[in-house]
Amino acid sequence: MHAGRDLGARSPLAPDLSTAAVHVFTDLDDYDAVARGERPGHYYGRNSNSNREMLERAVAELEGAEAGVATASGMAALHGAILALVPKPATIVATRELYGGTAALLRQDLEPAGYEAQFVDLTDLDAVRRAIPGAGLVIAETITNPLCGVPDLEAIAAIARERGVPFLVDNTFASPLLCRPLELGATVVMHSATKYIGGHSDLVAGVIVGDADTMGRARARTARTGTPLGPFDSWLSLRGLRTLDVRMRRHSENSLALARAMRSMPGVARVHHPLMDDSPSYHVAHRLLPHGSGGMMAFDLEGGRAAVQRMIKRFSLVTFAASLGGVETTISYPEITSHRSMSPAERAELGVGAGTVRVSVGIEDAADIVADFMHALSS
Ligand code: PLP
């Protein structure tokens, strides 16, 4: 609640919104010192802004990092982090079950620019040991998208560190309230703040945090490429952070309640939740996410796309929306949303089929959420 703020006498309790694109100076030496970062202050909005700075400090503090950089989206954060961590040419080893947008960035933008992407099952530590020696960077997600596996970040970090390979973790699904990957050995952590940090599906934003050197490089590039986060989205993200703790507790409780109830719902072939005892990640998830795993889960519905379509039409509270992490319960259909850039064969290899539905469980009353799924599936 208090991260990123320094309140003194007569400070506004809610931070002022500073929309100024540029600040006025009366002294050339003063401008020079601020532009060099030797004196606090702001001179041009693409380089820094007070609302963005508050958000960066807050997320860095929550993740236990030296510094942070807030960007125009999670994808801009990821791109900035990759370029700050590893110059080309380099092989980027990424989790096989990766957010489709990240896979597309690697394949469609970074491979043509001189990087090579290698997709590996990071829950298989032998595969990690085989892949890391030739790698320039490893990318993992704390909770994978969409089937909610949890790779052993601590073990991967140890293997990467032994070989001097930087380790980037997309901590979007867990948020800094449930997992702090830097403490487990990660080099840099990124968030799509669009999701749990913002929490209300009303902004698009990204943040990366890590050591001051790497963040300095990322900040300079973000300014050069013109991808920093705007003042209002920074302000909204910081407002979201204030309630992250209570939201994540409720998301975690509700997703477990729904996952348990869903096991006996009609048409449900399989439930994917990291903290359920049939999850392949059960033991790792309990170790890395002792306070809950947030609102993300998935299930496989018998009857494929037609059955998913019928279910959507029968919901009265749950909605179909291609994002996650908001206060309302939403479902997404990876085949045409997050994983549409993959071929059917690639999706099948991951276990994502025509009946796979991802659920972002919200903070409504758990009984209402369970009842809505029960009603939708009972047809
Ligand atoms: N990482 C994960 C795990 C995501 O789910 C997403 C978006 O869905 C992103 C990154 C990209 O974030 P943004 O949409 O804010 O660019």
Side-chain angles (χ1 to χ4, degrees):
M1 280 177 67
H2 297 278
R5 301 289 319 276
D6 259 335
L7 294 180
R10 294 182 295 281
S11 295
L13 185 54
D16 285 333
L17 174 65
S18 170
T19 59
V22 67
H23 286 68
V24 172
F25 286 79
T26 54
D27 183 288
L28 295 182
D29 294 335
D30 187 35
Y31 177 92
D32 228 10
V34 171
R36 279 201 304 268
E38 289 162 4
R39 212 172 275 171
H42 308 283
Y43 59 106
Y44 187 55
R46 182 154 49 74
N47 298 81
S48 72
N49 161 277
S50 60
N51 297 104
R52 191 186 318 141
E53 189 178 82
M54 267 182 242
L55 173 66
E56 292 169 342
R57 278 190 9 220
V59 180
E61 197 177 310
L62 292 177
E63 289 281 7
E66 288 175 4
V69 179
T71 56
S73 67
M75 292 315 300
L78 199 68
H79 188 215
I82 292 171
L83 296 188
L85 282 169
V86 58
K88 67 166 190 179
T91 298
I92 299 174
V93 169
T95 183
R96 208 175 48 136
E97 201 189 306
L98 188 65
Y99 167 58
T102 307
L105 174 75
L106 292 173
R107 285 201 179 112
Q108 293 169 30
D109 299 285
L110 294 179
E111 286 205 321
Y115 291 89
E116 195 188 318
Q118 193 185 342
F119 298 95
V120 170
D121 177 3
L122 293 187
T123 59
D124 175 355
L125 290 179
D126 287 332
V128 175
R129 277 187 204 96
R130 282 194 300 276
I132 279 185
L137 174 68
V138 181
I139 304 180
E141 293 174 359
T142 316
I143 302 171
T144 61
N145 187 354
L147 297 182
C148 299
V150 178
D152 189 341
L153 299 182
E154 212 168 359
I156 299 168
I159 299 167
R161 196 176 323 113
E162 232 171 62
R163 298 282 179 157
V165 177
F167 182 31
L168 169 61
V169 176
D170 181 339
N171 198 26
T172 298
F173 277 26
S175 93
L177 265 288
L178 299 177
C179 184
R180 290 155 50 99
L182 294 178
E183 289 175 356
L184 303 173
T187 318
V188 165
V189 169
M190 69 80 49
H191 287 277
S192 165
T194 315
K195 319 298 186 205
Y196 285 113
I197 288 181
H200 296 74
S201 306
D202 55 7
L203 62 94
V204 173
V207 186
I208 49 177
V209 297
D211 64 277
D213 244 26
T214 311
M215 290 304 108
R217 285 198 301 281
R219 176 181 304 286
R221 192 184 299 269
T222 301
R224 283 197 302 274
T225 54
T227 51
L229 186 61
F232 186 51
D233 283 346
S234 300
W235 188 95
L236 276 177
S237 300
L238 192 74
R239 188 171 73 159
L241 266 186
R242 308 226 165 285
T243 54
L244 187 62
D245 178 49
V246 284
R247 283 187 287 110
M248 291 317 284
R249 286 169 200 254
R250 178 80 165 216
H251 283 298
S252 300
E253 281 168 22
N254 283 0
S255 74
L256 257 183
L258 180 62
R260 286 192 182 119
M262 208 168 237
R263 272 177 163 176
S264 52
M265 285 191 194
V268 174
R270 172 109 204 249
V271 177
H272 307 270
H273 188 291
L275 297 175
M276 294 279 277
D277 54 12
D278 60 349
S279 162
S281 304
Y282 179 76
H283 294 291
V284 177
H286 272 272
R287 179 157 47 85
L288 298 192
L289 303 164
H291 305 295
S293 62
M296 300 309 297
M297 56 170 285
F299 64 98
D300 297 322
L301 191 58
E302 287 162 8
R305 185 170 175 148
V308 176
Q309 176 86 302
R310 276 203 304 280
M311 175 184 73
I312 288 172
K313 302 235 184 264
R314 284 176 62 92
F315 281 137
S316 50
L317 172 142
V318 178
T319 51
F320 165 55
S323 188
L324 62 105
V327 289
E328 303 93 350
T329 299
T330 57
I331 63 143
S332 156
Y333 186 54
E335 185 172 286
I336 61 163
T337 59
S338 53
H339 291 66
R340 71 176 301 144
S341 67
M342 289 185 182
S343 68
E346 285 171 324
R347 282 195 297 269
E349 209 187 313
L350 295 182
V352 176
T356 304
V357 176
R358 191 187 72 187
V359 190
S360 171
V361 184
I363 63 169
E364 302 94 337
D365 190 299
D368 289 342
I369 304 170
V370 169
D372 206 33
F373 274 95
M374 193 60 189
H375 170 75
L377 293 174
S378 63
S379 58

